[in-house]
Amino acid sequence: MIIEGVLDHIIFRNEGNGYTVAKFITADSDIVIVGTSMAFHEKEHLRLEGELIYHPKYGEQFAFDRAEKIRPRGKEAITAYLSGGLIPHVGKVTAKRIVATFGEDTLQVIEENPERLREVEGIGKKKLAVILEALKEQKDMRDFFLDAAAFDLTNKEAMAIYKVFGKDAPAVIERDPYALAGKVRGFGFLKADGIARKIGMAEDDPKRIVACMKYVLTNGVLDGNCYLPKDLLMEEAARVLNMDVAFVEEFLQILAVDPDIYLAQRGGVVKIYFLNYFRAEQLVAREIKKRGKVDLAEHMAEDMVNSVCEKLDMTLAEKQKEALMRAVDSHLLVITGGPGTGKTTTLRAIVDAMDRLNLSIALAAPTGRAAKRMEEATGRSASTIHRLLKYDYIDEEGTNSIVSGDDIDADVLIIDEASMIDLLLMRDVLTSLKEKTRLILVGDVDQLPPVGAGNVLKDILDSGEVPSVQLDEVFRQAETSYIVKNAHRINRGELPQVNEKGTDFFFIEESDPNRALQLICDLVKNRLPAYYGVDPMEDIQVLAPMKKGICGIEHLNEALQKTLNPGKKGLASRGFTYCVGDKVMQTKNNYQMPWKSQNKVFDNEGEGVFNGDLGRVKAIDPDGAWLKVLYDDRLCTYTSEYLPELMPAYASTVHKSQGSEFPVVVMPILSGPPMLYTRNLLYTGVTRARKLVVIVGSFQALDRMVQNNRIRWRYSDLDSILKEKREW
């Protein structure tokens, strides 16, 4: 649909992303328009392309995705147009003088010969300079928006490009549209390739082929790899380009000289890295190798074990004693173990030992929830790793960061849930430590690997180059928990024991996905709260292996919202309508997201919301421009720019639950792809529960999942580099 008229006044505009709500006057009627543009000003004459939509509260609106400025006709319309804030220092009086001077030719004069504005009374040399600069900037933006329409770019996409490249945007697109990929939010190779086709770039253009190689490497990193072998990268690029592998490989030399790329050769294999990942892998290995033994008096570690046990009135198992001794005499230690093996007790003993040595301690974890559990276990303050590091800057993808120049102010740093630490985060941790600071990593290596690239904890253990202790004894107080017992059974490839009266692990057979979905909703809303006295929102978390499918998280979230928070008006984003009260999750690290503390004791502000943070929707703008989410005591405002980073969290994937614990976990286990339905995914999901696990689904699918010990290979060389005998 196309409409023409005058933008009467702007009701709301987000200056960060250009999202605009405005009153628009056409020849037939007035209507509210919504869309993205930073180039609009009041009283402008516009031609808009879009569609009529219906807002449940505000009625009919026109959602535009393309806009074109048209010249107003008549002296009165031109005067109104000029006085609408289009040009600095031009109000109603000056606008009338301009129109009185140039008449119907006013706009032509402004566009083609703006210096003539000096002829108008009240416009001197200084005012003219400001006006000319504003007109030039607006013309650049307006011209680019017209160019963008030719490439079938929406206003939102054009705004994202202009925000990065400014007046150079047209030249960038003409010269190399693939430059948009990775630099402009929402633009990857495929979208840039579409633009390249429209400007007539050849299919075998070197820019296109190299851009596709980098696209494949980017996808590899997103899958958790630090690099890709050359042959694999070439094959995948050839598949995407629909070209012969040998032809694509001819352009490898061009890729090799790209400043973002590094080619390494180890074991007869050419390995292609993004340069920052190659440097990170080398740096992490170097820093780890530097952290050796602490210079202590003879028998001091053994004496410390006896002293701690006596003071705390505890009996430590042999492996726990070993962990405590290694914590005392090592600059780097890894402690691993499954549920019920005494990691928390060991942690408390280590903290007490460090106190006795008069060493200052910092506690950290990858997520806010894991940090809270550390606080509960030790009685000490703990923070997320990101807050501890005090990032001054980190890009949207988390690949390039600047950490505060100050080292971490502690003699000992203990990090829990260390299996979640990816390569780049470990790089930043190690470079922020003082030379003599002890680093103790605590985690469960059998859980899922980190979301980011690398497999740091596993690589360190596999290298055999770092002191490590595996706690493998399940203590008597944990043996009564079937959650603990079954977690270890699953890890050994044995089926869990279920449905024992008075226990905490249950399986309900329901192989029909639709009935399983309804059963889960009933469990969450009625049966579990009635029997166990738990809160459906705060205490129960549904964890699923997949996003898609009837019992995938997308359907589960819709069904659970209707069950637990029905009938409210809300704000739609990516196929889900958020309502006040909804349980939500942040899906990526956003280091620039501002928040305000709701703590009545401390009145402070900060930045940063992180992947996996769980919150509740507290308010929604009636005009649909934003919603507010409360994470613990941090209140964040999500505008349209950041809404895609949010997802409903009545149900979440097991991957997104890492680092968190919940009183009750409900898991649908039906048939699914072997790549996802793995033993370590089931193990990770089960170990997220503190009090109760309920699995709904097919026992045959559960059995297949337990037997499927497939661990997806990650291309990472940290373990090999650590084994190398060389001077660092």
Side-chain angles (χ1 to χ4, degrees):
M1 220 180 142
I2 296 175
I3 61 173
E4 290 187 7
V6 178
L7 192 149
D8 183 60
H9 70 274
I10 294 173
I11 299 168
F12 169 83
R13 173 146 68 199
N14 183 317
E15 296 300 333
N17 58 31
Y19 178 77
T20 302
V21 181
K23 182 181 177 184
F24 194 71
I25 301 174
T26 71
D28 300 322
S29 62
D30 302 349
I31 192 168
V32 171
I33 61 170
V34 294
T36 302
S37 178
M38 290 289 282
F40 284 177
H41 294 273
E42 293 179 352
K43 312 307 177 187
E44 283 189 321
H45 288 236
L46 305 169
R47 181 181 292 114
L48 305 176
E49 183 177 340
E51 62 179 349
L52 287 172
I53 61 172
Y54 188 82
H55 190 285
K57 183 172 182 179
Y58 298 101
E60 194 173 61
Q61 297 178 340
F62 188 82
F64 66 88
D65 53 22
R66 286 179 177 80
E68 177 186 355
K69 295 182 182 182
I70 56 178
R71 285 185 177 181
R73 292 175 287 273
K75 292 182 180 180
E76 189 173 328
I78 294 172
T79 302
Y81 171 66
L82 291 179
S83 62
L86 174 67
I87 307 173
H89 304 306
V90 175
K92 288 183 179 180
V93 173
T94 305
K96 285 179 180 178
R97 289 175 181 167
I98 293 172
V99 175
T101 304
F102 301 114
E104 296 281 354
D105 297 330
T106 294
L107 296 179
Q108 185 176 349
V109 169
I110 288 174
E111 289 181 8
E112 298 176 6
N113 197 10
E115 291 83 1
R116 288 190 60 195
L117 290 173
R118 277 292 303 273
E119 299 173 21
V120 179
E121 182 188 350
I123 298 181
K125 189 175 180 180
K126 288 184 179 179
K127 186 181 285 188
L128 178 64
V130 174
I131 291 173
L132 291 178
E133 182 61 30
L135 288 172
K136 182 178 183 303
E137 186 177 331
Q138 290 163 9
K139 186 176 187 305
D140 289 339
M141 186 184 291
R142 183 167 64 250
D143 289 347
F144 177 66
F145 269 61
L146 291 171
D147 292 339
F151 301 125
D152 288 335
L153 295 170
T154 66
N155 281 350
K156 189 173 183 179
E157 291 168 340
M159 177 57 62
I161 295 170
Y162 196 85
K163 200 171 177 181
V164 174
F165 295 105
K167 64 181 185 206
D168 296 327
V172 169
I173 289 179
E174 288 292 334
R175 183 176 63 251
D176 181 11
Y178 298 104
L180 304 178
K183 292 184 180 178
V184 179
R185 180 187 284 265
F187 275 80
F189 170 78
L190 298 179
K191 191 169 283 188
D193 199 41
I195 298 173
R197 302 274 65 76
K198 286 184 172 62
I199 67 172
M201 186 174 278
E203 287 191 5
D204 60 354
D205 189 296
K207 291 188 182 76
R208 179 173 188 254
I209 294 171
V210 171
C212 185
M213 293 178 185
K214 293 175 78 171
Y215 164 71
V216 170
L217 185 56
T218 297
N219 286 342
V221 170
L222 292 174
D223 283 340
N225 301 295
C226 298
Y227 68 87
L228 288 180
K230 183 203 75 175
D231 291 347
L232 178 62
L233 190 151
M234 294 299 121
E235 288 170 11
E236 180 61 16
R239 186 193 66 78
V240 173
L241 293 166
N242 195 24
M243 291 177 173
D244 184 71
V245 174
F247 178 75
V248 172
E249 197 164 335
E250 291 178 13
F251 296 87
L252 178 61
Q253 191 171 355
I254 299 175
L255 178 70
V257 297
D258 187 298
D260 294 332
I261 300 296
Y262 189 90
L263 271 62
Q265 187 161 0
R266 295 193 200 98
V269 178
V270 175
K271 303 177 179 185
I272 303 178
Y273 287 82
F274 282 117
L275 180 60
N276 59 330
Y277 283 93
F278 175 78
R279 286 176 171 167
E281 209 170 56
Q282 296 289 317
L283 186 149
V284 168
R286 183 178 70 244
E287 291 297 318
I288 286 174
K289 294 289 278 187
K290 283 165 53 177
R291 313 192 81 77
K293 286 278 187 182
V294 177
D295 187 17
L296 292 177
E298 191 176 0
H299 304 304
M300 185 173 177
E302 293 91 333
D303 293 344
M304 182 59 69
V305 171
N306 296 330
S307 177
V308 168
C309 290
E310 183 179 337
K311 181 195 173 189
L312 298 181
D313 192 23
M314 62 167 61
T315 302
L316 296 179
E318 289 305 310
K319 285 293 184 72
Q320 290 178 307
K321 290 179 181 178
E322 182 185 351
L324 181 54
M325 284 192 288
R326 295 293 77 77
V328 171
D329 68 16
S330 305
H331 277 116
L332 176 57
L333 170 67
V334 177
I335 302 172
T336 67
T341 57
K343 291 197 298 293
T344 299
T345 300
T346 306
L347 180 59
R348 282 200 296 263
I350 290 172
V351 169
D352 186 74
M354 298 306 163
D355 280 343
R356 287 167 172 267
L357 293 169
N358 294 316
L359 299 176
S360 59
I361 306 167
L363 304 178
T367 69
R369 284 178 168 248
K372 278 190 172 181
R373 293 206 316 275
M374 285 191 87
E375 289 184 347
E376 292 164 1
T378 63
R380 305 290 185 95
S381 175
S383 74
T384 63
I385 299 173
H386 303 88
R387 285 193 185 177
L388 181 69
L389 293 178
K390 299 176 183 175
Y391 282 103
D392 290 333
Y393 165 80
I394 191 158
D395 66 7
E396 289 176 354
E397 302 306 322
T399 56
N400 294 302
S401 59
I402 300 173
V403 179
S404 171
D406 297 332
D407 291 334
I408 293 172
D409 188 21
D411 299 314
V412 183
L413 172 59
I414 305 174
I415 299 179
D416 198 8
E417 295 287 354
S419 63
M420 295 180 67
I421 301 176
D422 62 35
L423 179 67
L424 299 187
L425 187 56
M426 179 56 80
R427 171 199 65 189
D428 291 344
V429 168
L430 289 170
T431 53
S432 297
L433 291 180
K434 297 174 183 176
E435 186 178 346
K436 298 299 183 182
T437 299
R438 290 172 169 86
L439 175 61
I440 300 170
L441 303 175
V442 183
D444 185 346
V445 76
D446 293 315
Q447 288 188 24
L448 292 168
V451 175
N455 207 349
V456 173
L457 189 67
K458 183 176 184 300
D459 282 349
I460 291 174
L461 290 169
D462 288 349
S463 75
E465 296 293 316
V466 173
S468 63
V469 178
Q470 182 172 8
L471 305 176
D472 51 15
E473 180 182 339
V474 178
F475 290 91
R476 281 194 299 274
Q477 60 266 37
E479 287 178 340
T480 59
S481 166
Y482 272 62
I483 295 174
V484 172
K485 185 181 294 186
N486 284 331
H488 289 279
R489 288 179 65 87
I490 291 166
N491 218 14
R492 295 193 300 267
E494 301 170 10
L495 279 168
Q497 295 176 339
V498 299
N499 300 346
E500 297 285 338
K501 188 175 181 180
T503 61
D504 54 11
F505 203 110
F506 294 90
F507 177 86
I508 303 175
E509 178 78 38
E510 183 50 81
S511 56
D512 180 85
N514 288 294
R515 288 199 293 268
L517 179 67
Q518 295 307 312
L519 176 56
I520 289 168
C521 290
D522 185 43
L523 282 165
V524 173
K525 182 180 181 182
N526 300 312
R527 291 166 61 172
L528 294 175
Y531 193 82
Y532 292 97
V534 291
D535 184 284
M537 289 282 204
E538 299 297 329
D539 299 329
I540 303 174
Q541 183 62 49
V542 177
L543 300 178
M546 296 199 307
K547 294 179 181 179
K548 302 293 183 182
I550 293 171
C551 283
I553 63 166
E554 292 177 0
H555 271 99
L556 281 164
N557 275 311
E558 289 178 6
L560 288 165
Q561 184 196 43
K562 289 177 184 175
T563 302
L564 299 174
N565 195 28
K568 297 180 180 179
K569 295 177 181 178
L571 191 159
S573 173
R574 298 204 304 175
F576 188 86
T577 301
Y578 294 96
C579 303
V580 172
D582 277 344
K583 188 175 180 179
V584 294
M585 179 187 288
Q586 173 75 10
T587 62
K588 64 179 291 187
N589 290 336
N590 185 329
Y591 302 88
Q592 284 85 39
M593 171 72 81
W595 52 262
K596 292 185 178 180
S597 174
Q598 302 301 289
N599 190 314
K600 292 182 171 57
V601 179
F602 303 103
D603 182 21
N604 63 347
E605 299 179 354
E607 291 182 340
V609 185
F610 305 111
N611 188 9
D613 281 357
L614 285 171
R616 297 283 291 276
V617 177
K618 285 298 178 184
I620 292 178
D621 173 44
D623 293 320
W626 51 259
L627 60 77
K628 293 181 185 290
V629 176
L630 186 65
Y631 297 101
D632 298 322
D633 67 339
R634 297 168 295 149
L635 189 67
C636 299
T637 300
Y638 285 79
T639 58
S640 60
E641 181 179 10
Y642 292 121
L643 266 178
E645 298 178 6
L646 205 62
M647 66 169 282
Y650 296 98
S652 78
T653 61
V654 176
H655 287 83
K656 289 291 185 186
S657 73
Q658 282 185 272
S660 298
E661 275 190 357
F662 312 95
V664 180
V665 165
V666 178
M667 292 183 70
I669 302 295
L670 294 105
S671 59
M675 184 178 290
L676 288 177
Y677 278 63
T678 62
R679 182 189 299 173
N680 71 334
L681 186 137
L682 177 63
Y683 173 83
T684 303
V686 165
T687 55
R688 298 308 89 203
R690 287 199 305 270
K691 296 180 180 178
L692 180 68
V693 170
V694 181
I695 295 175
V696 176
S698 157
F699 202 82
Q700 187 178 26
L702 179 65
D703 185 23
R704 284 198 300 268
M705 202 168 182
V706 171
Q707 302 310 318
N708 180 13
N709 197 27
R710 174 187 295 189
I711 296 175
R712 191 171 185 178
W713 180 259
R714 289 189 167 196
Y715 292 104
S716 166
D717 266 4
L718 179 59
D719 59 337
S720 300
I721 299 169
L722 286 170
K723 291 175 186 174
E724 291 177 0
K725 305 302 180 187
R726 58 164 156 155
E727 292 296 325
W728 290 90

